[in-house]
Amino acid sequence: MIDLKNSMTLSFSAAAQNEAFARMAVAAFIMPLDPTISEITDIKTAVSEAVTNAIIHGYGNNSEKNVVLLCSYENRSVYIEITDYGIGIEDIKQARTPLYTSAPELERSGLGFTVMETFMDSVDVLSEKGKGTTVRMAKKLMDSDNKNDMDCR
Ligand SMILES: Nc1ncnc2c1ncn2[C@@H]1O[C@H](COP(=O)(O)OP(=O)(O)O)[C@@H](O)[C@H]1O
Ligand SMILES: [Mg+2]
């Protein structure tokens, strides 16, 4: 297997339409790793949730603000970091509790972090009230060897 190490950074307006941009940008960036459809879907879903949170909760939909997205990979491990410099999270444990939402009026499900945890191998949340939030996620993609096995079945 070829050793691959690569990284990119994006900074974009905290506008709803950039959620689709962000998840497609990540999907395009990791294409050289030849991920499976389900791996791409998992990663795109997790990115969508984190970016939506940054836009809606972090910045209160203020599109004058910027969301920063870092994506890198080394061999088959993909690392994603989504940062906002918005309101921050006072109680991270509570925020990560399934079904907890601070915005029920926006018809939020409170399952964003649960979705990220389900689809990624690890999710770390770093946040300070008034300073902002960084969500760090990682996922190791299946080895190409295993994928070939699956194709043969
Ligand atoms: N980037 C963020 N900035 C501030 N608060 C956040 C951020 N991300 C998540 N939160 C808080 O964590 C809660 C739970 O997030 P999540 O599980 O995605 O549910 P939902 O977005 O449906 O409310 C949010 O309601 C919000 O209070
Ligand atoms: Mg959410």
Side-chain angles (χ1 to χ4, degrees), residues 49 53-54 57-58 84 87-89 95 100-103 108-113 133:
E49 291 295 337
N53 281 353
H57 301 301
D84 68 71
I87 60 163
I89 303 173
Y100 171 81
T101 181
S102 59
R108 309 298 308 163
S109 64
L111 287 170
F113 282 121
T133 302

Side-chain angles (χ1 to χ4, degrees), residues 40-111:
I40 300 170
T41 309
D42 289 358
I43 290 172
K44 281 167 85 176
T45 305
V47 168
S48 283
E49 291 295 337
V51 170
T52 304
N53 281 353
I55 295 172
I56 296 179
H57 301 301
Y59 288 136
N61 281 303
N62 179 355
S63 58
E64 311 244 299
K65 306 285 187 175
N66 276 3
V67 178
V68 178
L69 179 138
L70 270 75
C71 182
S72 65
Y73 54 81
E74 185 163 8
N75 299 319
R76 298 195 65 73
S77 292
V78 177
Y79 305 95
I80 297 163
E81 239 183 71
I82 288 138
T83 299
D84 68 71
Y85 301 95
I87 60 163
I89 303 173
E90 195 162 10
D91 185 341
I92 296 174
K93 196 167 171 246
Q94 178 189 53
R96 294 182 69 147
T97 304
L99 300 176
Y100 171 81
T101 181
S102 59
E105 72 284 0
L106 299 177
E107 295 181 23
R108 309 298 308 163
S109 64
L111 287 170

